[in-house]
Amino acid sequence: MKDTSERTIKNIRFWRAAVVLLMLIPLLEVLALLPFLPDTVAVHWGIGGTPDRYGSRYELLIPSVVVILVGSLLLKESFGRQPKGFRAGGLLTLVIFNIIQPMILYVTVHPQVNILDISFGRVVCGLMSLVIIVTGNYLPKVSWEYRLKRKHGFRTRYALSDENVWAHTQRFAGYAYITAGLIGAVAAVFLSDFVCVLVLLLSMILATILIYYYSWTIWKEMQENEENLRQK
């Protein structure tokens, strides 16, 4: 029991150290680059991959500040008590930004480069697919009791009405999310930037509709069974 407790403490310390590192790296990257940038730089890119808005170079600090705020929330003691899957999702969010920001800074320094030439859309699609897969793996583990403590899980009016419907809904939602994530990951490898993002978006919309429908069918089946029992 003591070994388990010590292992848990070590894991939490490692996780906190990783969060601190990942929340500070983007800010350090921007601060190191700022002195070498012109006063006005590209800060937004259109669907064609070319800059469509320019602004002050100090605007590049805004995303880094947001990352620090997100990291600060992850470091809160209450968040440290969250399930392992939820904490992994928070850490993965920081990892994603640490991958995306260098790509953005590169095209900021080299404005003649089209952001799609470095497969930015496909990278984002692949990373978001990974987040969806991790979420899908976590959903079936959200218990009926835990839904009262935190607003976790795929919450439909039908799932929230009964423990059995909740369990079936979360299990199906997990499969649906993982499937949608895998479709997005494959699309990121084989399709163009815009198409792979579109495929991922449509996959998630379809997955959401199917989860709601499945939750409703389980609830309806339960209601019919109860009605049959009352009539006997």
Side-chain angles (χ1 to χ4, degrees):
M1 190 70 175
K2 184 178 179 181
D3 292 339
T4 303
S5 178
E6 290 178 353
R7 192 182 308 116
T8 301
I9 293 175
K10 288 182 179 179
N11 289 339
I12 291 177
R13 287 177 177 173
F14 174 79
W15 178 79
R16 287 179 176 273
V19 169
V20 171
L21 183 64
L22 291 172
M23 66 188 274
L24 291 180
I25 286 178
L27 177 62
L28 296 176
E29 289 175 344
V30 175
L31 290 177
L33 195 61
L34 275 180
F36 306 99
L37 293 175
D39 292 335
T40 302
V41 296
V43 294
H44 191 272
W45 291 261
I47 194 172
T50 56
D52 60 4
R53 190 174 79 83
Y54 291 82
S56 169
R57 60 181 175 176
Y58 294 103
E59 284 190 43
L60 297 175
L61 290 168
I62 296 176
S64 301
V65 173
V66 173
V67 170
I68 290 177
L69 292 176
V70 172
S72 299
L73 291 175
L74 299 181
L75 290 174
K76 288 181 64 176
E77 184 178 353
S78 59
F79 198 93
R81 295 194 297 267
Q82 299 284 358
K84 184 185 296 184
F86 199 74
R87 287 187 278 118
L91 191 64
L92 183 59
T93 301
L94 295 181
V95 171
I96 288 174
F97 189 83
N98 274 265
I99 295 174
I100 291 176
Q101 175 161 291
M103 301 178 71
I104 295 176
L105 293 179
Y106 176 80
V107 293
T108 299
V109 175
H110 304 87
Q112 73 280 6
V113 176
N114 188 301
I115 196 170
L116 298 183
D117 290 342
I118 58 175
S119 301
F120 182 78
R122 295 170 66 187
V123 170
V124 171
C125 182
L127 293 174
M128 291 306 301
S129 298
L130 180 59
V131 171
I132 293 170
I133 291 172
V134 171
T135 303
N137 181 66
Y138 165 69
L139 283 173
K141 302 174 184 177
V142 182
S143 67
W144 172 252
E145 294 77 12
Y146 197 77
R147 91 202 186 285
L148 298 174
K149 300 178 182 179
R150 298 287 187 273
K151 300 294 184 180
H152 296 170
F154 198 98
R155 305 168 73 85
T156 71
R157 55 177 295 191
Y158 310 107
L160 292 170
S161 66
D162 181 81
E163 181 176 359
N164 186 51
V165 179
W166 174 269
H168 279 81
T169 299
Q170 304 315 308
R171 189 179 303 113
F172 184 83
Y175 290 136
Y177 268 56
I178 290 174
T179 301
L182 290 174
I183 291 173
V186 172
V189 174
F190 294 104
L191 302 178
S192 65
D193 294 74
F194 176 76
V195 175
C196 71
V197 173
L198 182 61
V199 167
L200 178 60
L201 179 61
L202 292 176
S203 298
M204 284 304 300
I205 292 174
L206 179 60
T208 301
I209 294 173
L210 290 175
I211 296 167
Y212 267 94
Y213 177 74
Y214 179 81
S215 185
W216 172 77
T217 57
I218 295 297
W219 173 82
K220 185 179 180 182
E221 181 181 337
M222 184 192 70
Q223 296 295 312
E224 291 175 348
N225 291 338
E226 291 180 354
E227 183 64 27
N228 292 333
L229 288 175
R230 281 195 295 266
Q231 292 176 357
K232 289 181 179 180

